[in-house]
């Protein structure tokens, strides 16, 4: 699945430079949905502390592959996510989900991570829930990114990686529940994807959220959630049925006399 | 006195608004649907009786034709025979008589309803005339029903016509029962059949629009390029299944309730016993079913990947259906207690129904349990289960009804001897057909297969099932011929041959003329339709 | 209430400690064994219930046969208290049985839905009219039942002693993965992912059939499921990796 950076592909990109076919980075999400990431995957944070993916997975997890030397889209993606999470949503940051920004660049280290974190400037109270991390063993990078269909290319002339800007929603058992385009969705899409990643394991007080989520379904073509129209049609027709019932019980009272006389 | 004595006039029958004639038209239409769908069933059994394509030469032919047969058998039996036979024929003919009404509230709407039903029958029969008749089963699940090359539209239009006919009937009969009961007739004096029809029609009225909407969206998806059920464009494959079963599970109660209502009438009349614990059966049993019917549909989707918590919740609600059904069972069986039972053909059918009901009902319990269902779902076990409870049980109660009210409808007695011969062919036939299917179902025989080369060990059982089907075919032929012959030249029946206490026997002639009752019916506070004269 | 029923049914089930043994051994709770156990329990429950009603009916049908055409039934007339008790007592008995069964069913259901940690992952793709199995290392197998009159391909090969979790989706219409011998089944749909898991404990060949109607060759949509020893599995997999048939 993974196309490794190679002279040939660099050349390919040089010729097309600013005109890269975005389809190369398209993740065929139907192929990768449900893929399980190894919970024992070792990661390390900016302080060098090692931890496993499993520790992040008590709740759904939003996984963002970035690289910290990036001065373009990666900052934009993380900032956009931060901005979305600052918007009022169904779930407050950190309640019911966490975020993991993970570098796919083997050259990243604690220093570049630290600089990236400073630029991102997460609020203090978020820092427990939004972790910026590196692969503890850079040898895992290709395997893990390849497993979820995340492709990237190093373009030497541009001194930059080309990669998809995608949010990956992992369920608590470490399976990919949904991909969302990192740049073109709103808070509601985010909430919906988190609810989906929970596999319906919601708390009783969240039942309203859950019912609301039934009104939407994911459109693979649009890459976002759209209204689940048949549900509304169905609900409307049920209402019609109930109205018919109530109607026949109450409205026809007058009819009684006339019919009996006719007959 | 009788309408028929004026001689036959086709025009009168076509433009009739008389509930009795409409009932007869429903009966003829539904028996026709039953006969054709029954022939399909026979072909299905023959096809399965041996490995490989049996009736047809090639796999392609066998696959396509067999699937069309399955579609027609399911759709026509449920939409064309069971529902119209019980809520069309039986309700139309007997309900106004039982409540002492001269006709239904809206006779012209009633006429429209029966002709819509006939149009539905014709639409269903077109399956065999149009190229690529529908092959979508009676469930019509997308995406198959959208992707198939067959003409799903005929399925959709059949549902529309039958559904609309049924909605009109529902409004009509609810209004009739509420406003046109004989003066003095209180709610606790209604016949069980009247109550069962009321509750069945409430379910029908509330839920049919949902089915109509679901299949309409199917039609749009297939022919107009909409994407209601296309997951690529935000549609939801599972939603159709939810909408479909949201109607179609309650629909089994639309069949079960009137069938039980008929049995109550017959068992009570032939045991000369009042209904045992009438109020528990009506308010606990029938209304209990109405109440629960809308919250159990997901048991049809246990294998569809619905969220775990819904599957567990609906396992509990599905199991709880045994409470109202249990109350009805106790009342029905209890009505036999210390009775004075005589066995005519209709009582013989009714008694056999008690046992069919036990088998069909109890085999539903493992299917209600999510984990057990995961293995049994979509196997011959399910197939046998719902044939017992919905197919045979309900069909036998329609046969029982025809025999019981045959003197009322024709003024003649149906031949008892021939009737009983037909019964034994039918009763032995159904058990020979479906008991083997229970067995191979548990062992994994999937439904809707015409060939089963992965399970060659099941061939013998399929062969036995085919023999059973042949027995049924003989039994049905005897039964239908018996009706026709007896109606033409049967023995003249006495006014109240079964000594029933119900209004249709005590207050009106057989067959009833226009206006039903020679004199307006008024009932007293202590009258009940099950008063066989004990306390007097 | 539940305890009472438990006692009643328990009295009828003296010799069925299968599930208990499995739990004691700390072994993996296996859907198939749990299914067989619960199925037997439910069958006994049903037989008792059905038997009571059927026996009563037969007895009464014979006993209360009318002796003269004018005879009238002497069914009891219920007092108000009797009416209520004949409604409430049976209702509670049925309800108790329901909750008992529901509790049993729920326990088994949890086993069905709790995938063991070390399970082997296989991706299953359903299509008209074929199953495709993809292992984690990318090895893909397929089975063609009707290919030139002779079946071809491997189907699903799994090692004995390791749970297998199937991640399933469909390319076209709804199919269903019915694995009779392991008592599991779940639909495959386009655009959705579903799971089942099973636990092959002994070497045997079974079959997966499509159990959701999917058109003309629905009856031929099946594939063998071979549980083989771990060493056989490894050598088979090595052969597959080298592109062997």
């Amino acid at each position: 699945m993974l196309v490794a950076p190679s002279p040939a592909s660099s050349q390919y990109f040089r010729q097309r430079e600013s005109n890269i076919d975005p389809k190369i980075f398209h993740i065929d999400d139907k192929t990768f949905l449900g893929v399980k990431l190894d919970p024992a995957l070792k990661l390390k944070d900016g302080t060098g502390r090692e931890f496993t993916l499993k520790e992040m997975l008590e709740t759904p997890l939003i996984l963002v592959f970035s690289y910290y030397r990036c001065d373009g889209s990666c900052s934009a993606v993380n900032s956009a996510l931060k901005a979305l999470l600052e918007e009022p949503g169904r779930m407050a940051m950190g309640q019911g989900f966490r975020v993991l920004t993970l570098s796919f660049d083997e050259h990243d280290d604690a220093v570049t991570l630290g600089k990236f974190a400073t630029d991102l400037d997460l609020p203090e109270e978020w820092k427990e829930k939004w972790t910026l991390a590196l692969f503890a063993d850079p040898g895992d990078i290709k395997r893990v990114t390849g497993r979820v269909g995340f492709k990237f290319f190093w373009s030497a002339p541009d001194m930059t990686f080309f990669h998809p800007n995608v949010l990956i929603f992992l369920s608590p058992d470490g399976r990919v529940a949904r991909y969302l385009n990192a740049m073109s969705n709103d808070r509601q899409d985010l909430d919906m994807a988190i609810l989906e990643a929970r596999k319906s394991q919601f708390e009783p007080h969240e039942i309203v959220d859950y019912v609301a989520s039934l009104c939407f379904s994911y459109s693979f073509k649009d890459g976002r959630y759209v209204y689940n129209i048949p549900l509304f049609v169905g609900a409307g027709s049920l209402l019609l049925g109930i109205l018919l019932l109530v109607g026949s019980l109450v409205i026809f009272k007058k009819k009684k006399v006339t019919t009996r006389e006719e007959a | 006195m009788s309408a028929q004595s004026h001689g036959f006039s086709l025009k009168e029958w076509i433009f009739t608004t008389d509930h009795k004639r409409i009932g007869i038209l429903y009966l003829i239409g539904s028996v026709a649907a039953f006969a054709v769908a029954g022939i399909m069933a026979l072909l299905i059994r023959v096809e399965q009786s041996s490995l490989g394509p049996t009736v047809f030469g090639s796999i392609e032919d066998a696959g396509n034709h067999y699937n069309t047969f399955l579609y027609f058998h399911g759709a026509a039996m449920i939409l064309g025979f069971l529902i119209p036979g019980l809520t069309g024929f039986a309700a139309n003919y007997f309900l106004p008589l039982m409540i002492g009404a001269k006709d239904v509230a809206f006779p012209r709407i009633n006429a429209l309803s029966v002709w819509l039903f006939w149009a539905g029958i014709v639409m269903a029969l077109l399956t065999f005339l149009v190229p690529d008749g529908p092959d979508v089963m009676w469930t019509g699940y997308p995406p198959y029903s959208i992707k198939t090359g067959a003409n799903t539209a005929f399925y959709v239009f059949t549902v529309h016509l039958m559904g609309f006919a049924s909605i009109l009937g529902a409004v009509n009969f609810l209004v009739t029962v509420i406003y046109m009961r004989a003066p003095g007739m209180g709610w606790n004096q209604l016949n069980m059949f009247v109550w069962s029809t009321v509750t069945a029609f409430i379910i029908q009225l509330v839920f049919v629009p949902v089915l109509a909407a679901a299949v309409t969206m199917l039609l749009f998806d297939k022919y107009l390029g909409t994407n209601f059920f296309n997951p690529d464009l935000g549609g939801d494959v599972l939603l159709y299944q939810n909408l479909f079963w949201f109607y179609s599970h309650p629909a089994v109660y639309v069949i079960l309730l009137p069938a039980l209502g008929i049995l109550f009438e017959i068992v009570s009349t032939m045991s000369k016993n009042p209904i045992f614990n009438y109020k528990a059966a009506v308010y606990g049993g029938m209304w209990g079913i109405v109440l629960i019917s809308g919250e159990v549909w997901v048991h049809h989707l246990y294998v569809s990947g619905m969220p775990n918590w819904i599957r567990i919740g609906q396992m509990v609600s599905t199991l709880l259906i045994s409470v109202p059904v249990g109350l009805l069972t106790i009342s029905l069986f209890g009505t036999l207690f210390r009775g004075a039972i005589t066995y005519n053909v209709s009582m013989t059918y009714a008694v056999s129904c008690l046992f069919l009901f036990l088998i069909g009902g109890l085999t539903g319990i493992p299917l209600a349990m999510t984990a057990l269902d995961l293995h049994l779902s979509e196997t011959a076990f399910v197939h046998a289960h719902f044939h017992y409870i919905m197919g045979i049980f309900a069909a036998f109660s329609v046969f029982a009804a025809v025999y019981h009210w045959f003197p009322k409808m024709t003024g003649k007695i149906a031949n008892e001897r021939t009737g009983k011969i037909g019964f034994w062919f039918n009763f032995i036939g159904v058990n020979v057909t479906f008991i083997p299917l229970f067995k191979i179902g548990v062992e994994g025989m999937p439904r809707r297969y015409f060939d089963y080369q992965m399970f060659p060990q099941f061939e013998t059982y399929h062969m036995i099932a085919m023999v059973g089907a042949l027995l049924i075919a003989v039994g049905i032929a005897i039964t239908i011929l018996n009706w026709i012959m007896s109606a033409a030249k049967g023995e003249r029946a006495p006014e109240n041959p079964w000594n029933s206490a119900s209004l249709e026997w005590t207050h009106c002639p057989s067959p009833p003329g226009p206006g039903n009752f020679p004199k307006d019916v008024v009932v007293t506070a202590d009258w009940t339709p099950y008063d066989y004269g004990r306390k007097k | 209430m539940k305890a009472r029923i438990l006692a009643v049914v328990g009295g009828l089930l003296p010799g069925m400690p299968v599930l208990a043994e499995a739990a004691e051994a700390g072994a993996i709770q296996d859907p198939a064994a749990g299914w067989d156990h619960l199925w037997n329990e439910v069958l006994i429950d049903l037989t008792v219930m059905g038997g009571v009603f059927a026996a009563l009916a037969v007895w009464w049908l014979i006993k209360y046969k009318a002796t003269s055409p004018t005879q009238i039934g002497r069914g009891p007339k219920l007092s108000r208290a009797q009416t209520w008790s004949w409604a409430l007592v049976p209702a509670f008995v049925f309800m108790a049985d329901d909750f008992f069964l529901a509790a049993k069913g729920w326990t088994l259901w949890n086993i069905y839905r709790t995938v063991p940690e070390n399970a082997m992952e296989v991706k299953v793709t359903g299509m008209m009219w074929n199953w495709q199995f993809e292992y984690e290392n990318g090895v893909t197998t397929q089975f063609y039942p009707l290919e030139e009159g002779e079946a071809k391909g491997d189907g699903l090969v799994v090692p004995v002693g390791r749970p297998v979790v199937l991640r399933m989706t469909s390319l076209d219409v709804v199919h269903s993965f019915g694995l009779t011998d392991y008592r599991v089944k779940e639909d495959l749909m386009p655009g959705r992912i579903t799971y089942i898991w099973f636990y092959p404990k002994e070497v045997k060949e079974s079959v997966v059939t499509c159990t959701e109607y999917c058109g003309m060759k629905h009856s031929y949509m099946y594939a063998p499921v071979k549980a083989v020893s771990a060493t056989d599995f490894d050598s088979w997999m090595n052969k597959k990796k080298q592109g062997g048939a």
Side-chain angles (χ1 to χ4, degrees):
Chain A
M1 246 343 120
L2 175 72
V3 182
S6 67
S9 64
S10 318
Q11 183 155 8
Y12 173 74
F13 282 117
R14 191 161 31 211
Q15 282 166 351
R16 305 206 30 193
E17 273 194 339
S18 58
N19 190 21
I20 288 170
D21 183 358
K23 280 199 179 117
I24 293 175
F25 302 115
H26 176 71
I27 297 175
D28 182 11
D29 40 4
K30 279 191 214 160
T31 314
F32 293 99
L33 283 178
V35 162
K36 187 177 182 180
L37 287 183
D38 183 5
L41 177 68
K42 283 204 179 65
L43 308 169
K44 64 180 179 199
D45 64 12
T47 65
R49 183 182 70 90
E50 282 204 8
F51 60 100
T52 62
L53 181 62
K54 191 176 170 61
E55 290 170 48
M56 301 290 294
L57 282 174
E58 284 152 18
T59 55
L61 180 68
I62 306 177
L63 175 60
V64 192
F65 281 120
S66 302
Y67 70 106
Y68 298 132
R69 292 181 298 149
C70 176
D71 48 6
S73 64
C74 296
S75 332
V77 164
N78 283 276
S79 303
L81 180 59
K82 180 186 161 199
L84 270 187
L85 292 175
E86 278 167 345
E87 281 177 31
R90 290 207 183 92
M91 275 154 291
M93 171 65 190
Q95 286 179 341
F97 68 98
R98 298 170 88 170
V99 184
L100 173 65
T101 304
L102 186 55
S103 168
F104 57 85
D105 180 359
E106 55 190 342
H107 302 297
D108 269 326
D109 53 24
V111 181
T112 54
L113 187 153
K115 182 166 180 311
F116 191 86
T118 316
D119 292 345
L120 183 59
D121 191 23
L122 293 175
E124 194 58 40
E125 67 271 21
W126 286 17
K127 286 185 176 163
E128 285 285 294
K129 303 292 184 183
W130 185 333
T131 309
L132 286 86
L134 309 163
F135 281 92
D137 173 9
D140 286 336
I141 294 178
K142 284 184 194 174
R143 190 171 55 80
V144 172
T145 53
R147 210 165 146 64
V148 296
F150 183 92
K151 296 175 227 169
F152 55 92
F153 307 87
W154 174 250
S155 166
D158 299 313
M159 295 294 286
T160 150
F161 277 107
F162 289 107
H163 61 91
N165 296 321
V166 65
L167 306 177
I168 302 173
F169 292 78
L170 297 183
S171 62
D173 55 357
R175 290 182 186 277
V176 176
R178 186 59 74 201
Y179 295 90
L180 283 185
N181 186 321
M183 302 306 280
S184 65
N185 54 65
D186 54 27
R187 180 58 202 257
Q188 179 166 297
D189 289 323
L190 206 68
D191 288 341
M192 294 290 310
I194 293 166
L195 275 172
E196 253 189 316
R198 283 197 192 175
K199 300 261 152 78
S200 311
Q201 303 289 327
F202 58 92
E203 304 283 314
H205 66 89
E206 290 164 328
I207 190 143
V208 177
D209 295 339
Y210 185 75
V211 170
S213 77
L214 296 176
C215 300
F216 299 89
S217 66
Y218 184 76
S219 166
F220 285 92
K221 182 165 168 280
D222 302 329
R224 57 179 302 146
Y225 291 86
V226 295
Y227 281 108
N228 197 353
I229 300 167
L231 184 77
F232 295 97
V233 177
S237 51
L238 177 64
L239 199 66
L240 176 71
I242 293 170
L243 285 177
L244 278 171
L245 175 64
V246 175
S248 16
L249 299 191
V250 295
I251 307 175
F252 296 110
K253 195 138 197 171
K254 278 182 193 160
K255 186 77 191 168
K256 169 186 175 186
V257 187
T258 51
T259 324
R260 296 207 97 197
E261 281 166 0
E262 270 172 28
Chain B
M1 180 174 82
S2 82
Q4 282 92 331
S5 61
H6 301 299
F8 179 80
S9 154
L10 188 65
K11 198 177 153 200
E12 265 181 37
W13 277 88
I14 290 173
F15 292 100
T16 186
T17 57
D18 180 351
H19 71 96
K20 298 180 291 296
R21 288 191 164 188
I22 288 171
I24 298 292
L25 288 172
Y26 260 115
L27 177 64
I28 296 169
S30 49
V31 170
F34 174 77
V36 183
I39 293 169
M40 294 304 113
L42 198 56
L43 289 170
I44 290 165
R45 286 282 124 249
V46 174
E47 175 57 62
Q48 274 199 328
S49 66
S50 72
L51 284 166
T54 308
V55 183
F56 301 96
S58 72
I59 286 166
E60 279 74 16
D61 274 358
N64 289 330
H65 291 291
Y66 182 81
N67 293 336
T68 308
F69 293 170
L70 280 180
Y71 156 75
F72 186 86
H73 173 73
M77 280 294 188
I78 294 166
L79 302 172
F81 168 61
L82 292 172
I83 293 178
L86 290 158
T87 63
F89 151 64
N92 257 295
Y93 206 107
F94 311 122
L95 187 141
L97 299 178
M98 284 174 177
I99 62 170
K102 289 176 171 165
D103 206 318
V104 292
F106 311 109
R108 288 193 200 95
I109 289 181
N110 209 16
L112 175 60
S113 161
V114 75
W115 291 117
L116 283 173
F117 159 70
W118 271 87
I121 296 276
V122 171
M123 186 63 73
L125 286 170
L126 284 177
T127 301
F128 303 113
L129 297 180
V130 295
D132 301 320
D135 65 343
V136 296
M137 304 298 119
W138 92 285
T139 50
Y141 282 4
Y144 183 74
S145 54
I146 296 164
K147 293 193 176 188
T148 175
N151 284 302
T152 307
F154 287 91
Y155 161 69
V156 174
F157 293 141
T158 306
V159 171
H160 280 162
L161 289 165
M162 304 284 194
F164 199 38
S166 192
I167 285 180
L168 294 179
V171 173
N172 207 343
F173 281 95
L174 290 177
V175 175
T176 304
V177 174
I178 293 170
Y179 299 116
M180 293 178 67
R181 279 168 291 135
M185 189 182 282
W187 292 109
N188 291 329
Q189 292 166 291
L190 293 186
N191 284 71
M192 291 301 277
F193 178 70
V194 175
W195 267 122
S196 69
T197 308
V198 167
T199 44
F201 270 134
I202 287 174
I203 293 174
Q204 191 76 338
L205 197 50
V206 170
F207 293 102
V208 162
V210 179
L211 175 68
V215 296
T216 308
M217 287 188 278
L218 212 56
L219 188 75
F220 287 179
D221 267 17
K222 184 164 172 68
Y223 298 99
L224 301 180
T226 55
N227 293 291
F228 293 117
F229 303 122
N230 177 357
D232 286 341
L233 289 159
D236 186 344
V237 188
L238 261 186
L239 197 65
Y240 176 87
Q241 298 183 20
N242 276 291
L243 293 177
F244 180 84
W245 289 112
F246 189 63
Y247 163 73
S248 295
H249 189 75
V252 308
Y253 301 119
V254 173
I255 295 166
L256 177 81
L257 285 168
L260 274 173
I262 286 170
L263 294 185
F264 272 111
E265 299 302 326
I266 295 171
V267 169
S268 166
T269 305
M270 300 315 292
S271 322
K272 298 292 176 293
N273 237 354
I275 307 294
F276 180 79
N277 213 352
Y278 176 94
K279 285 181 186 167
V282 170
Y283 301 107
M286 292 184 181
W287 283 98
I289 286 180
V290 172
L291 219 60
I292 300 185
S293 67
E295 294 97 43
V296 297
W297 80 93
V298 173
H299 65 238
H300 294 268
L301 286 90
Y302 282 158
V303 292
S304 302
M306 293 289 281
N308 289 340
W309 67 275
I310 297 183
R311 291 195 255 194
I312 286 300
Q314 298 251 319
M315 170 175 78
V316 177
S317 58
T318 304
L319 282 169
L320 283 176
I321 285 179
S322 72
V323 174
V325 171
L327 291 178
L328 285 165
T329 315
I330 287 177
S331 281
L332 186 58
F333 282 61
T335 303
L336 295 169
F337 180 60
R338 289 162 71 179
I341 306 168
T342 43
Y343 295 96
N344 59 5
V345 187
S346 74
M347 185 61 177
T348 317
Y349 272 107
V351 165
S352 74
C353 280
L354 302 181
F355 297 98
L356 298 175
F357 188 63
L358 284 180
I359 298 177
L362 291 170
T363 50
I365 288 176
L367 295 174
M369 299 171 69
T370 318
L372 291 187
D373 180 71
L374 284 195
H375 170 56
L376 298 171
S377 173
E378 289 289 325
T379 65
F381 184 88
V382 175
H383 171 195
H385 155 70
F386 75 76
H387 272 81
Y388 263 98
I389 192 72
M390 186 171 78
I392 306 156
F393 168 76
F396 274 24
S397 73
V398 172
F399 297 165
V402 173
Y403 276 113
H404 184 73
W405 284 289
F406 199 83
K408 183 53 48 192
M409 295 186 287
T410 62
K412 293 167 184 167
I413 294 265
N415 188 300
E416 287 277 316
R417 212 181 120 80
T418 321
K420 283 194 179 162
I421 295 172
F423 165 80
W424 285 109
F425 270 103
N426 286 335
F427 185 69
I428 295 170
V430 294
N431 289 303
V432 171
T433 305
F434 289 104
I435 287 173
L437 294 184
F438 275 127
K439 173 159 169 57
I440 59 177
V442 177
E443 288 170 15
M445 175 68 207
R447 281 171 73 188
R448 295 169 176 166
Y449 272 31
F450 71 89
D451 193 5
Y452 39 97
Q453 51 174 273
M454 70 298 277
F455 294 125
Q457 69 270 33
F458 296 152
E459 197 175 14
T460 318
Y461 296 97
H462 281 111
M463 184 61 86
I464 297 171
M466 182 191 71
V467 173
L470 290 171
L471 290 176
I472 303 173
V474 174
I476 299 293
I478 294 174
T479 305
I480 294 177
L481 282 177
N482 189 28
W483 293 341
I484 295 171
M485 301 293 284
S486 301
K489 40 187 160 184
E491 207 180 306
R492 184 84 211 143
E495 283 294 288
N496 189 355
W498 325 123
N499 294 321
S500 169
S502 184
L503 281 187
E504 82 271 23
W505 295 105
T506 53
H507 282 64
C508 75
S510 304
N516 295 343
F517 298 94
K519 279 187 282 185
D520 278 357
V521 182
V522 179
V523 301
T524 53
D526 61 348
W527 172 88
T528 83
Y530 306 110
D531 180 359
Y532 300 102
R534 185 163 142 227
K535 62 189 165 192
K536 275 158 204 165
Chain C
M1 182 158 60
K2 190 177 131 194
R4 197 177 66 209
I5 297 292
L6 260 172
V8 172
V9 179
L12 299 163
L13 298 167
M16 291 193 167
V18 183
L19 204 63
E21 269 173 22
E24 275 165 27
I28 294 168
Q29 300 265 303
D30 173 20
W35 192 96
D36 289 345
H37 177 70
L38 185 56
W39 170 249
N40 286 329
E41 282 194 344
V42 170
L43 272 194
I44 290 170
D45 189 312
L46 300 188
T47 313
V48 171
M49 246 196 295
V52 169
F53 275 101
L56 270 181
V58 171
W59 182 34
W60 291 347
L61 286 168
I62 296 168
K63 183 172 179 196
Y64 298 120
K65 197 159 184 266
T67 46
S68 82
T70 53
Q71 196 188 345
I72 283 161
R74 297 173 295 111
K77 195 167 173 4
L78 300 184
S79 68
R80 178 182 287 263
Q82 284 170 322
T83 303
W84 278 101
S85 10
W86 271 105
L88 293 180
V89 173
F92 277 110
V93 171
F94 289 129
M95 231 186 274
D97 193 35
D98 290 342
F99 286 127
F100 167 71
L101 292 173
K104 287 268 181 184
W106 195 344
T107 313
L108 180 57
W109 176 244
N110 285 335
I111 295 172
Y112 266 80
R113 301 316 287 181
T114 313
V115 183
E117 282 282 327
N118 65 336
M120 181 174 96
E121 299 241 354
V122 180
K123 182 183 176 187
V124 179
T125 310
M127 62 204 88
M128 288 153 97
W129 292 278
N130 214 284
W131 299 105
Q132 182 187 299
F133 304 98
E134 187 184 331
Y135 294 83
E136 280 201 286
N137 55 16
V139 166
T140 302
T141 68
Q142 218 157 344
F143 178 75
Y144 305 93
L146 290 171
E147 196 82 356
E148 291 155 14
E150 202 182 323
K152 263 189 201 164
D154 284 311
L156 178 61
V157 181
V158 292
V160 164
R162 193 178 165 195
V164 181
V165 58
L166 306 174
R167 172 168 67 93
M168 310 191 294
T169 191
S170 162
L171 292 185
D172 35 48
V173 302
V174 181
H175 302 285
S176 190
F177 194 88
L179 202 45
T180 298
D181 278 10
Y182 298 97
R183 309 281 189 261
V184 289
K185 182 178 293 155
E186 189 119 335
D187 284 3
L188 294 77
M189 287 159 285
R192 279 176 180 257
I193 308 293
T194 50
Y195 301 91
I196 47 176
W197 76 274
F198 64 100
Y199 188 28
K201 286 182 186 161
E202 56 188 71
V203 175
K204 73 169 164 184
E205 182 167 339
S206 50
V207 64
V208 52
T209 52
C210 179
T211 46
E212 183 60 63
Y213 172 70
C214 61
M216 185 180 77
K217 288 187 187 166
H218 172 50
S219 320
Y220 294 100
M221 189 167 164
Y222 72 96
V225 177
K226 296 172 195 155
V228 298
S229 68
T231 47
D232 286 355
F233 178 78
D234 289 341
S235 61
W236 173 82
M237 186 52 91
N238 283 330
K239 216 162 80 183
K240 276 280 160 191
K241 274 194 227 163
Q242 291 150 15

